């Protein structure tokens, strides 16, 4: 029997037991069973608080994160949600060899002749991820989200009323926002805020001064893609004074100052705070689930100073292999969920909701026990006790495969097929 024939008999429009990555699951929202473990943390939106959630593979970390995003989307006029779930760009930027063109480097005159021959300075730095790298990337994600939020809500005019906040906003946008049309965005912001064009205001502006500042920014921001040429153009547009007055990220302390300025901007625009959701730390191509590499990536984030930023609620969804990282943060400041546990009731709800979402509109609801010839309830109870949704759906997928390979035709699955599938599942589970 073909699997598609079996699906047709049960009026399934698509396979209900196929395992999807949560971020790419087209049916996740419709088939979601809400996990209330985080609700207590999200009740006080006026002051977001930090959490760390540990879970074994397949337990639903990313599903919980997506559920959290969905819940918080109801309050988008109150809180900003920033997703820190993609690390490939960060890791690539940190490990690649960076070269600074000679014209942007403040080399000493005595070395100028030798340096000109090379035409560029190779910026050598340890490839290990640091707190500075994370802070830069968090600021990148944060200013991008805030920019979209205020432009969609048409709040840009608020910048006219407070020169200090306006300058901080344009500075963070210049340093960390990286759309293709950044220069035009900076020009529009400058005109909105009422900052005179620097080139027009000072015809004796030194290109060298702007280039040295652009080079210094390029040298210090490592985890975020920076075009030194574009930075030079932006400095020409708004002048170096704004950068020097409010500070550029030379050291960790400067970055925390910039992060606090960012949080002040969030509050200025009428939002109570930011939820930073950190997930998928096991998925970058250079990590591929390696626990030691995950630790190298995550440990710098667990800095106590970062978790003390007012109105910043960092929620980390971490693999259980990193459970030992609890020793790096203060449990009195950061609440911990040590594991995501699925009760049999919640698991059966999840599976049956998925089954019924997958069926043709108007079909009568079915239960998991219905697909078996006999003792359906006991078989269903074994399936829902497989610790994680991923395990349960994998077992169900094998059961359907075994059934379709065994029978010529038959909608219901026999005990013999079920037991054979369970044996195959248990053998496979050791390496699955």
């Amino acid at each position: 029997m073909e699997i598609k024939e079996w699906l047709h008999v049960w009026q399934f429009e698509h396979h209900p037991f196929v395992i999807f990555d949560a971020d790419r699951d087209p049916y996740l929202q419709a088939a979601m069973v809400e996990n209330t473990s985080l609700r207590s943390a999200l009740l006080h939106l006026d002051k977001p608080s930090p959490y760390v959630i540990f879970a074994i593979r397949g337990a639903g970390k990313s599903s919980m994160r997506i559920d959290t995003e969905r819940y918080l989307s109801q309050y988008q006029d109150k809180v900003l949600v920033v997703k820190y779930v993609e690390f490939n760009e960060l890791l690539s930027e940190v490990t690649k060899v960076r070269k600074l063109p000679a014209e942007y480097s403040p080399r000493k005159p005595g070395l100028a002749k030798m340096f000109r021959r090379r035409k560029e300075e190779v910026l050598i730095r340890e490839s290990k991820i640091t707190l500075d790298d994370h802070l830069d990337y968090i600021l990148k994600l944060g200013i991008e989200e805030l920019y979209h939020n205020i432009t969609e809500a048409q709040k840009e005019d608020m910048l006219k009323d407070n020169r200090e906040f306006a300058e901080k906003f344009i500075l963070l946008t210049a340093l960390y926002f990286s759309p293709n049309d950044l220069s035009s965005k900076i020009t529009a912001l400058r005109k909105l805020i009422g900052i005179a064009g620097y080139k027009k205001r000072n015809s004796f502006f030194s290109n060298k001064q702007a280039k040295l500042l652009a080079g210094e920014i390029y040298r210090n921001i490592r985890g975020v893609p920076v075009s030194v040429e574009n930075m030079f153009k932006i400095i020409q547009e708004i002048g170096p004074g704004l950068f020097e007055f409010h500070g550029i990220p030379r050291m960790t302390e400067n970055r925390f100052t910039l992060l606090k300025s960012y949080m002040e901007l969030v509050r200025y625009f009428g939002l109570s705070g930011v939820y930073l959701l950190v997930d998928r730390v096991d998925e970058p191509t250079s990590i591929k689930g390696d626990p030691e590499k995950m630790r190298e990536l995550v440990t710098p984030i667990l800095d106590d100073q970062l978790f003390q930023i007012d109105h910043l609620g960092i929620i980390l969804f971490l693999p259980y292999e990193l459970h030992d990282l609890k020793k790096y943060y203060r449990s009195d400041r950061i609440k911990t969920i040590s594991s995501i546990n699925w009760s049999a009731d919640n698991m059966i709800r999840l599976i049956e909701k998925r089954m019924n979402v997958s069926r043709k509109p108007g079909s009568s609801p079915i239960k998991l026990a219905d697909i078996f010839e006999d003792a359906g309830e006991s078989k269903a109870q074994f399936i829902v006790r497989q610790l994680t949704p991923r395990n349960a759906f994998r077992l169900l997928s094998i059961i359907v495969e075994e059934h379709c390979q065994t029978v010529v035709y038959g909608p219901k699955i026999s005990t013999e097929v079920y037991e054979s599938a369970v044996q195959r599942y248990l053998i496979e589970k050791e390496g699955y």
Side-chain angles (χ1 to χ4, degrees), residues 80-188:
L80 201 65
V81 179
V82 177
K83 297 182 290 183
Y84 195 9
V85 298
E86 173 54 61
F87 299 94
N88 280 318
E89 182 179 61
L90 170 69
L91 291 165
S92 175
E93 287 294 323
V94 167
T95 55
K96 78 179 184 182
V97 176
R98 305 183 80 193
K99 298 177 181 179
L100 180 65
E103 59 190 301
Y104 295 94
S105 180
R107 301 295 292 222
K108 294 180 180 179
L111 298 175
K113 190 176 293 186
M114 178 180 69
F115 181 53
R116 275 199 298 270
R117 291 173 188 163
R118 291 190 299 174
K119 297 185 178 180
E120 60 189 12
E121 177 189 356
V122 178
L123 304 180
I124 300 173
R125 193 180 146 187
E126 188 181 359
S127 60
K128 190 176 180 180
I129 289 281
T130 67
L131 175 60
D132 286 356
D133 302 322
H134 280 299
L135 289 172
D136 285 335
Y137 213 86
I138 289 168
L139 283 164
K140 171 187 183 295
L141 297 173
I143 196 63
E144 289 174 353
E145 195 64 39
L146 182 60
Y147 186 97
H148 294 315
N149 180 280
I150 68 167
T151 52
E152 288 176 11
Q154 297 182 333
K155 295 181 179 179
E156 305 100 304
D157 284 350
M158 289 178 64
L159 293 169
K160 296 178 182 178
D161 302 326
N162 191 307
R163 180 64 176 239
E164 181 185 356
F165 283 152
E167 289 184 355
K168 288 179 178 179
F169 184 79
I170 200 170
L171 172 70
L172 287 167
T173 302
L175 287 172
Y176 292 109
F177 198 13
S178 54
N180 294 329
D181 59 341
L182 177 60
S183 183
S184 63
K185 281 183 168 57
I186 292 295
T187 301

Side-chain angles (χ1 to χ4, degrees), residues 185-217:
K185 281 183 168 57
I186 292 295
T187 301
L189 284 171
R190 175 184 63 74
K191 291 178 179 178
L192 174 71
I193 295 166
I195 298 176
Y198 191 81
K199 286 185 287 188
K200 294 179 181 178
R201 190 172 57 183
N202 185 356
S203 58
F204 299 102
F205 173 70
S206 168
N207 281 349
K208 186 62 178 176
Q209 182 186 12
K211 285 184 176 180
L212 290 178
L213 181 57
E216 187 176 7
I217 292 169

Side-chain angles (χ1 to χ4, degrees), residues 35-45 47-55 60-73 79-87 134 138 141 263 273-281 298 301-303 306-309 311-319 322 329 333-338 340:
N35 194 312
T36 58
S37 301
L38 266 178
R39 287 295 183 261
S40 60
L42 304 176
L43 286 176
H44 305 290
L45 297 177
K47 193 169 184 181
S49 54
Y51 254 80
V52 179
I53 296 98
F54 295 97
K61 293 187 302 297
S62 293
S63 295
M64 181 185 275
R65 188 252 306 162
I66 293 168
D67 182 39
T68 302
E69 290 173 25
R70 184 176 65 171
Y71 175 78
L72 290 172
S73 68
V79 293
L80 201 65
V81 179
V82 177
K83 297 182 290 183
Y84 195 9
V85 298
E86 173 54 61
F87 299 94
H134 280 299
I138 289 168
L141 297 173
M263 295 305 299
V274 175
Y275 276 103
L276 177 68
L277 308 182
V278 183
D279 188 21
R280 300 176 64 182
V281 301
V298 173
I301 302 177
L302 301 174
D303 185 274
L306 180 58
F307 284 91
Q308 290 186 61
I309 300 291
H311 302 282
L312 175 61
I314 303 175
I315 304 180
L316 294 100
F317 300 83
L318 302 178
L322 303 184
Y329 62 84
R333 286 186 179 153
I334 305 170
K335 296 180 181 178
T336 301
I337 296 176
S338 296
I340 299 176

